[in-house]
Amino acid sequence: MQIEFVSPDAASASRSLLAIVVPEGEAGGVNGGAFAGAVAQSRFTGARGQVLEVASVLGRTLLVGGGKASEFDDLAAEQTAAAAYAAAKLSGAEVLRLSPAVDTGAFAARAALGLRLGAYRFDKYRTRETADKKPSIVRAEIVTDHAAAAAEAMPSLSALANAVVFARDLVSEPANILYPAEFARRVKALEALGLTVEILGEEEMRQLGMGSLLGVGQGSVRESQLAIIRWNGAADPAAQPVAFVGKGVCFDTGGISIKPADGMEDMKWDMGGAAAVAGVMHVLAGRKARVNAVGILGLVENMPDGNAQRPGDVVTSMSGQTIEVINTDAEGRLVLADAIWYCQDRFKPRFMVDLATLTGAVIISLGNDYGGLFSNSDDLSEKLLSASKAEEEPLWRLPLPKAYEKQIDSAIADMKNTGGRPAGSITAALFIQRFVNGLPWAHLDIASTAWKKPSSVPTIPEGATGFGVRLLNRLVADHYEESA
Ligand code: BES
Ligand code: MN
Ligand code: ZN
C-alpha cells in the first residue's frame, strides 16, 4: 500500500473510500451535518474504535470513532487509522482517504504508521486466493494541512514499521523454511542497513564452551547458530553498548520430553524473542540511532532424535555452571544461559534485556495482553514499563524471590532446568538470572504476546505481533541515545 499526505482540497480519486475520524460527541456536526441523520439512527457516538458506514451524495463514507478530542494522541492516531483500514480493506475501494480527528503533522504521520502496521499480512504462500478475498486498498491518502511536517516525521516511523514487519515475517515463517541457518542468512542481509553481523556455527560455539545451547540443538539435523548483530551509532565507536538477547528456537517439539500434538504447530514462533531483537537492531540502524547496540540471537531447533539430549543429562554452560536437564522442553533458558553469558563476557554492555517465548505459565499468569517483566534493576524496570505504556506493548513486572531459588536446586549439578509447576515463569527467570554477572538485566517473557489470535488491537492483525520491537526502540530513544 502506497501512502501519501494530501491537502483537504485535493481532488479525491475515483474508487476512493472516505474515512473520517470523528471526535466523540461531534459526529452529528461532521461535514456541516451531512451525516447527522445516519448518526442519529445508530449507536455511533465517536467512542474510540467504533465504525459506522454511511452513504451520502459524497459516496460511501466511514465514520471512525476517535474518542475524546482532548485525549487524541499518537497512539489514537495510529489505532483509528488502522481501524479505518480494517473496515475498508475488503470494501472494493482502491483508495482510502483518511482524515484524522485532530490535524497535526505528527498525527498524520502516526496515522501512516498505523496504516502500515494494520495492513500487515503474511500471504506469500497463498497461490489461489481470488481477487474478492484480497484487500482492495492499494493506496491511502491522509488528509492534512501539515503535509511537510508529516513528511518530516516519517523517516523514523517508516524505519520502525519496516522493522516490525521484518520481525513479523520471521515469526510467521514455517520452520521448514526458517531454520537456524536461514534465520542467520536473513539477519546477515541486514548488513545492507549498516549493521555488522557475525554468525557462529556449532564448532565455534563448542570452542567457546557453550554446552548448554549446543545440547538443545543436538537432536536436530539443522546446525545451531549464534548471530551477533552490532550497530555503532554513537559518536565514540568504543562507547559501552546496550544489549539485547533473543531466544530463537526455530521449532520447539519439546525434544525427548515431547509436546502433545495439539497446538504444536504454534512452536514455529518460538523464535519470537530473536525476531524482536533482530527487529530492534533493524530499526536502530534504519533511523541511524545515536547509540551503540548489540543484538545476540541463539538460534536452534529442539527435536527428538537418536542423538537428542536426554532428561537427566548434565551439560556445562559457558559460564562454567553445570545444569541437569530434567525436561528437554525447558530449552529456551538453556539457550539463553550461553547467549547471555557470551554477550556480557564479550561486550560488557550497560545493561542487557533478553526476550523469549519462555513459558506457557506466563499466559496463565497474565493472559495474552501482557508480557512478563523480570529484572534485577528497579531503574531499568521503570524505564521498560514507561516505554511499554508509550508504545502500547504492555508489560507487567513479576518478582524474583530468593526463596524460590531452591526449586531449581539439583541433587547432582549446580542447578536443574525446571522448577516444577508453581510459579513456572518465575523459576525460569531465576534460572536465567544465574547467568547474569553483575549488571542491570531484564527478562521479558513474551510467550503471551508474540502471537495474537484473535487480536483486539487494529495495528496488530491476527498472527505475529512483532512484540518488543517498539518498546525497546522507545527505551533506547528515550534514555540511551546521545543528543544530536
Ligand atoms: N516454548 C515453550 C513455551 C511456550 C508455550 C511458548 C506456549 C509459547 C506458547 C517453552 O520452551 C516450553 O516448552 N516451556 C515449558 C517449560 C516447562 C517444561 C518447565 C512450559 O511452559 O510448559
Ligand atoms: Mn520448550
Ligand atoms: Zn520453547
Side-chain angles (χ1 to χ4, degrees):
M1 181 176 46
Q2 184 197 335
I3 302 177
E4 36 193 271
F5 301 107
V6 302
S7 85
D9 44 77
S12 4
S14 60
R15 302 193 62 76
S16 79
L17 177 59
L18 179 63
I20 304 174
V21 184
V22 185
E24 194 161 347
E26 295 177 26
V30 170
N31 268 2
F35 310 119
V39 168
Q41 288 164 348
S42 77
R43 290 180 167 174
F44 186 86
T45 61
R48 181 97 70 82
Q50 289 182 332
V51 179
L52 177 69
E53 181 166 343
V54 292
S56 78
V57 288
L58 300 171
R60 292 164 72 187
T61 301
L62 295 173
L63 299 182
V64 180
K68 291 202 177 65
S70 59
E71 288 168 11
F72 198 77
D73 57 7
D74 284 351
L75 290 172
E78 288 176 29
Q79 298 299 349
T80 52
Y85 177 84
K89 68 180 178 188
L90 298 178
S91 65
E94 286 166 9
V95 179
L96 175 65
R97 187 179 171 93
L98 176 80
S99 163
V102 178
D103 184 19
T104 69
F107 291 156
R110 285 286 167 170
L113 174 63
L115 291 174
R116 282 277 319 270
L117 297 178
Y120 176 77
R121 196 166 183 256
F122 188 75
D123 56 7
K124 66 191 279 196
Y125 299 116
R126 294 178 186 272
T127 69
R128 302 297 150 93
E129 194 174 36
T130 53
D132 61 315
K133 296 265 164 46
K134 286 198 171 89
S136 59
I137 305 289
V138 293
R139 191 155 63 82
E141 299 172 346
I142 298 170
V143 180
T144 176
D145 274 322
H146 307 281
E152 203 171 311
M154 274 324 285
S156 69
L157 296 180
S158 293
L160 179 57
N162 293 342
V164 172
V165 165
F166 179 74
R168 287 180 181 173
D169 280 346
L170 290 171
V171 172
S172 304
E173 284 285 10
N176 61 325
I177 305 291
L178 195 83
Y179 46 92
E182 173 61 16
F183 196 136
R185 272 193 286 278
R186 293 193 188 189
V187 167
K188 185 78 181 166
L190 298 183
E191 289 195 326
L193 295 172
L195 293 162
T196 310
V197 180
E198 289 164 69
I199 307 296
L200 306 188
E202 290 183 355
E203 193 38 51
E204 288 147 304
M205 288 192 272
R206 199 160 291 121
Q207 264 154 36
L208 287 162
M210 296 190 168
S212 182
L213 184 154
L214 288 169
V216 176
Q218 191 178 300
S220 172
V221 297
R222 309 291 199 181
E223 188 183 357
S224 300
Q225 311 269 283
L226 191 79
I228 301 129
I229 316 172
R230 276 181 294 164
W231 169 247
N232 275 343
D236 175 4
Q240 228 188 341
V242 299
F244 306 108
V245 182
K247 167 180 172 180
V249 177
C250 293
F251 197 82
D252 180 13
T253 62
I256 295 299
S257 313
I258 197 162
K259 289 180 180 295
D262 248 13
M264 199 202 275
E265 68 280 6
D266 284 351
M267 288 301 110
K268 75 170 185 181
W269 49 264
D270 207 18
M271 32 54 71
V277 171
V280 179
M281 299 307 292
H282 192 301
V283 60
L284 294 181
R287 64 178 185 80
K288 306 215 179 319
R290 290 176 300 273
V291 68
N292 291 344
V294 178
I296 309 277
L297 320 180
L299 303 170
V300 303
E301 184 180 55
N302 188 20
M303 299 291 276
D305 179 74
N307 189 45
Q309 155 164 279
R310 293 152 290 259
D313 283 4
V314 174
V315 295
T316 303
S317 67
M318 187 184 175
S319 74
Q321 299 177 94
T322 56
I323 304 159
E324 184 187 9
V325 179
I326 298 296
N327 188 322
T328 64
D329 197 11
E331 84 297 339
R333 64 199 77 183
L334 297 172
V335 172
L336 287 174
D338 280 338
I340 278 178
W341 191 266
Y342 178 84
C343 177
Q344 64 201 341
D345 195 48
R346 176 167 170 194
F347 294 106
K348 317 271 182 286
R350 294 160 79 173
F351 68 79
M352 242 175 351
V353 178
D354 78 73
L355 293 92
T357 49
L358 203 65
T359 66
V362 80
I363 308 172
I364 307 302
S365 316
L366 298 176
N368 286 109
D369 285 354
Y370 285 81
L373 160 65
F374 302 84
S375 180
N376 61 4
S377 160
D378 291 344
D379 176 62
L380 182 57
S381 292
E382 286 309 318
K383 287 175 171 146
L384 281 162
L385 288 168
S386 69
S388 120
K389 279 205 187 75
E391 298 291 323
E392 227 161 36
E393 290 192 331
L395 292 175
W396 194 261
R397 190 175 180 186
L398 293 162
L400 290 165
K402 261 217 152 49
Y404 296 5
E405 293 274 4
K406 59 179 176 299
Q407 286 178 235
I408 52 171
D409 286 345
S410 158
I412 70 158
D414 296 332
M415 69 195 87
K416 57 184 182 183
N417 77 329
T418 56
R421 303 223 342 133
S425 307
I426 293 176
T427 53
L430 286 171
F431 179 97
I432 296 168
Q433 186 173 236
R434 293 192 181 194
F435 298 86
V436 176
N437 197 5
L439 79 177
W441 154 81
H443 156 61
L444 308 185
D445 192 337
I446 60 168
S448 45
T449 56
W451 189 273
K452 285 283 169 72
K453 201 177 179 186
S455 172
S456 53
V457 184
T459 49
I460 305 175
E462 195 166 296
T465 61
F467 186 97
V469 177
R470 297 190 60 157
L471 96 87
L472 295 178
N473 177 53
R474 168 74 72 147
L475 175 78
V476 171
D478 284 356
H479 301 289
Y480 297 98
E481 267 186 82
E482 296 167 359
S483 41

